[in-house]
Amino acid sequence: MTDNEFEPTIIAFCCNWCSYAGADLAGVSRIQYPPNGRIVRVMCSGMVHPNLVINALTKGADGVLMCGCHLGECHYQEGNKKALGRAEGLDLMLEDFGLEPERFRLEWISSSEAQRFAEVMAEMTETLRALGPSPYNTRG
Amino acid sequence: VEKKDFLGGHALKLNHTWRGELIKPYVDDLVARVTGHPQIEVHLNAEVTDVQGFVGNFNSTVASGGRETVVPHGAAVIAIGAHSYKPQEYLYKENPKVMLALEMDQALREHHPLVTAAKCAAFIQCVGSREPERPYCSRVCCTHSVESAIRLKELNPDMDVYILYRDLRTYGLRENLYKEAREKGVIFIRFQADGKPRVAQTADGGLQVTVHDLILGIPVTIRPDVLTLASAIVVKDQEKLAQMFKVPLNHEGFFLEAHMKLRPVDFATEGVFVAGLAHYPKPLDEAIAQAKAAAARAAVVLCQESIKAGGVVASIDPAQCSGCQACVGVCPFGAIDYKEPEDVCEVNQALCKGCGTCAGNCPSECITLLGFSNQQIYTQIDQALADLKLDAEAAG
């Protein structure tokens, strides 16, 4: 980390079947992307409780990324649709917590889309760098 | 469970495979073995109307002739097959000289005078396939038409045989059939989706097919005595069955397997398997191979004395559960039941696939997905952020 540039921290919830495998492939393929993500493996994007997202943000993560299989390709039929529904609710919650909507992002990444995973990570890091630290980030 | 009053389905309408093996003796032998087997119960004229239970413990209602019987079973293979698309185009059903590929087979089998006396025959490919409403390729029709064309040439080498196609795929070793057809003098004419052949009826009841030949660049007119349409393979009446067994369909309505490469005959729902045309259009040899695979996979379920639930399943803490039933509605596998006397919900761990959607939906966070509890995830988040704090302190 350089002194003058802010490095955001992103908690990324990746589903076991698509996005986690996609992230894994990005690593295996040695695709370069910013090291700002911290991946938490979950079985399905549909199991991510909104409280987990809010918890991560209020504990000082600068952004939360939620990744699941493409719609219609969920390993559990439609967990990702549930995640999509919750994401809409989360946008409202973010507002209540005084956070910018850009701090939460939902993406569909399949297990073959390593490049896409790297792009999303890079994009989100860039967005958060421009946005600055989260008000809950006390690391200074 | 067979919808019709006989076993065998479409296989009985085919004459031989592309390798020339006769189909009817094979099917007859199979039917005799099935009907004569002491442990196989055949329900003819029957339909499944209800399915309850889960892997190893299904109870399906089979309706037959107004009577309903509940059949307990451990596994299910969905092999409902498919149908040929009945074209609205190309004068089908309007002129008796226009027939479908399977009707051509029948005519060849029965030495129908329409075919034996024909001096000119034409085939039109991709009828109903690779259209906006049916974007898939029906796979078997190229080979089938080439095969029938060869039979016609064998019947009468002087017959003019034309195959009008968009793209011809006699894949694998079937390529030799295409070569053979060319050697025998079958004429292949290519057309494009926006320049389909036009079929008209002449005053004497004959047919006139006009097609724009892409190579010559001019319209070509053929007057066939018999016209065969290679119509698409479509699946029908499958939605209800898919809902009952809780298995997915793809965009075209065919049954969708759990994984194209890793679990090709399984469904995401355990204990349910797929084979044949219901899965996607395929020739007989591939359907048989798939059926054997599905039977072997089903036997894996049946030969077990007991089935262990997977490690990653959800469980509800009854002490914290308020009985709101938010979890019941979101479970894609119907694994959660509401217990009215205790006013709590309970997970049936044999049905639970461990997606955790219920855990994500529980307002009181009292559902734990074993191995992925919210507590574990909170700790992971804390740890991910704590490391950074230490880094920041170390860096000063």
Side-chain angles (χ1 to χ4, degrees):
Chain A
M1 275 189 215
T2 52
D3 289 338
N4 49 12
E5 198 170 19
F6 158 67
E7 286 295 337
T9 307
I10 303 166
I11 298 283
F13 294 105
C14 290
C15 89
N16 182 50
W17 305 98
C18 290
S19 318
Y20 193 79
D24 192 29
L25 187 64
V28 172
S29 320
R30 305 188 183 196
I31 297 173
Q32 300 288 318
Y33 64 93
N36 302 53
R38 300 288 177 275
I39 297 178
V40 176
R41 181 169 72 107
V42 291
M43 289 309 280
C44 176
S45 53
M47 73 168 278
V48 180
H49 201 288
N51 289 2
L52 291 170
V53 176
I54 295 300
N55 176 67
L57 288 169
T58 52
K59 285 222 172 118
D62 299 299
V64 169
L65 174 65
M66 199 150 111
C67 304
C69 310
H70 287 273
L71 287 175
E73 291 174 14
C74 177
H75 185 81
Y76 302 105
Q77 295 176 12
E78 47 185 29
N80 47 11
K81 278 191 196 151
K82 307 278 170 14
L84 183 64
R86 282 189 205 124
E88 285 165 17
L90 268 166
D91 286 340
L92 298 174
M93 279 172 88
L94 250 49
E95 211 179 301
D96 293 345
F97 279 86
L99 291 163
E100 298 85 345
E102 290 84 1
R103 296 203 185 273
F104 173 72
R105 185 163 168 178
L106 181 67
E107 281 291 337
W108 311 132
I109 297 171
S110 85
S111 53
S112 58
E113 293 176 327
Q115 196 63 50
R116 175 89 191 120
F117 179 79
E119 279 165 21
V120 167
M121 267 301 180
E123 273 173 33
M124 192 158 180
T125 308
E126 218 37 66
T127 315
L128 293 176
R129 262 192 205 133
L131 210 60
S134 149
Y136 295 92
N137 183 346
T138 53
R139 292 187 300 278
Chain B
V1 179
E2 167 64 57
K3 205 175 188 175
K4 294 259 172 70
D5 57 356
F6 61 91
L7 294 174
H10 275 313
L12 290 174
K13 295 189 192 164
L14 295 163
N15 295 340
H16 45 78
T17 67
W18 66 272
R19 287 179 200 271
E21 299 138 317
L22 288 174
I23 291 171
K24 198 165 184 309
Y26 178 84
V27 177
D28 287 346
D29 173 55
L30 210 57
V31 170
R33 277 162 62 199
V34 166
T35 44
H37 198 286
Q39 280 176 289
I40 300 179
E41 198 180 314
V42 180
H43 294 263
L44 294 176
N45 292 316
E47 226 175 320
V48 176
T49 53
D50 187 39
V51 179
Q52 295 292 328
F54 45 88
V55 55
N57 192 16
F58 286 109
N59 279 303
S60 298
T61 310
V62 177
S64 170
R67 259 195 28 245
E68 293 201 331
T69 5
V70 176
V71 181
H73 58 106
V77 179
I78 295 180
I80 60 164
H83 302 267
S84 49
Y85 162 68
K86 303 289 177 287
Q88 309 290 312
E89 54 265 49
Y90 301 132
L91 298 183
Y92 179 65
K93 290 278 181 205
E94 287 170 42
N95 188 306
K97 293 176 179 174
V98 184
M99 51 175 77
L100 297 184
L102 285 176
E103 292 163 352
M104 183 57 166
D105 267 32
Q106 189 185 3
L108 279 168
R109 189 163 60 232
E110 293 168 356
H111 302 286
H112 196 285
L114 195 62
V115 175
T116 46
K119 292 197 169 52
C120 175
F123 293 82
I124 300 179
Q125 299 300 110
C126 290
V127 179
S129 303
R130 303 169 67 213
E131 295 289 335
E133 63 271 29
R134 254 172 264 100
Y136 57 91
C137 161
S138 294
R139 288 187 79 218
V140 301
C141 3
C142 286
T143 309
H144 200 112
S145 291
V146 169
E147 229 183 282
S148 299
I150 293 174
R151 299 282 150 178
L152 290 176
K153 274 287 187 188
E154 282 168 355
L155 210 65
N156 176 8
D158 293 330
M159 194 190 298
D160 293 325
V161 182
Y162 299 91
I163 295 185
L164 278 46
Y165 70 100
R166 276 172 63 190
D167 292 289
L168 208 69
R169 289 286 178 279
T170 52
Y171 61 95
L173 293 175
R174 296 162 178 83
E175 194 71 29
N176 291 337
L177 284 176
Y178 173 72
K179 261 178 75 185
E180 188 187 337
R182 291 214 84 136
E183 279 160 11
K184 285 199 156 73
V186 175
I187 296 166
F188 290 88
I189 301 175
R190 187 167 182 203
F191 65 89
Q192 278 183 325
D194 54 3
K196 287 197 193 122
R198 285 188 309 279
V199 180
Q201 190 163 324
T202 54
D204 58 349
L207 290 170
Q208 179 174 315
V209 181
T210 315
V211 60
H212 186 85
D213 186 312
L214 278 179
I215 294 170
L216 295 178
I218 51 166
V220 173
T221 304
I222 306 163
R223 289 193 179 77
D225 299 314
V226 55
L227 175 65
T228 309
L229 305 179
S231 74
I233 292 178
V234 293
V235 61
K236 59 181 192 198
D237 306 329
Q238 81 287 30
E239 279 119 348
K240 226 179 104 209
L241 198 65
Q243 273 170 11
M244 284 191 286
F245 278 106
K246 302 190 191 81
V247 295
L249 300 172
N250 68 11
H251 294 303
E252 284 95 35
F254 290 98
F255 284 91
L256 183 66
E257 70 276 37
H259 191 287
M260 197 189 284
K261 288 175 184 165
L262 302 177
R263 294 173 69 198
V265 297
D266 297 30
F267 282 114
T269 309
E270 253 173 273
V272 190
F273 307 92
V274 66
L277 288 185
H279 177 229
Y280 60 66
K282 58 173 74 69
L284 200 61
D285 46 352
E286 288 175 29
I288 293 171
Q290 199 184 18
K292 285 181 172 169
R297 293 289 296 153
V300 169
V301 174
L302 298 182
C303 68
Q304 293 177 76
E305 281 185 9
S306 63
I307 294 173
K308 286 195 184 121
V312 181
V313 288
S315 84
I316 298 176
D317 178 2
Q320 286 187 55
C321 177
S322 64
C324 74
Q325 301 175 45
C327 48
V328 178
V330 293
C331 179
F333 307 100
I336 306 177
D337 290 317
Y338 173 62
K339 299 264 178 265
E340 205 166 355
E342 297 95 358
D343 189 32
V344 291
C345 297
E346 197 179 71
V347 179
N348 180 339
Q349 297 191 334
L351 282 179
C352 178
K353 296 268 172 288
C355 64
T357 306
C358 52
N361 223 44
C362 181
S364 34
E365 291 187 50
C366 74
I367 306 184
T368 301
L369 182 64
L370 299 176
F372 291 86
S373 71
N374 283 5
Q375 214 46 57
Q376 280 171 303
I377 297 174
Y378 282 131
T379 314
Q380 284 186 45
I381 294 169
D382 286 351
Q383 209 53 43
L385 298 172
D387 286 351
L388 291 169
K389 229 171 204 170
L390 285 177
D391 285 352
E393 277 164 20

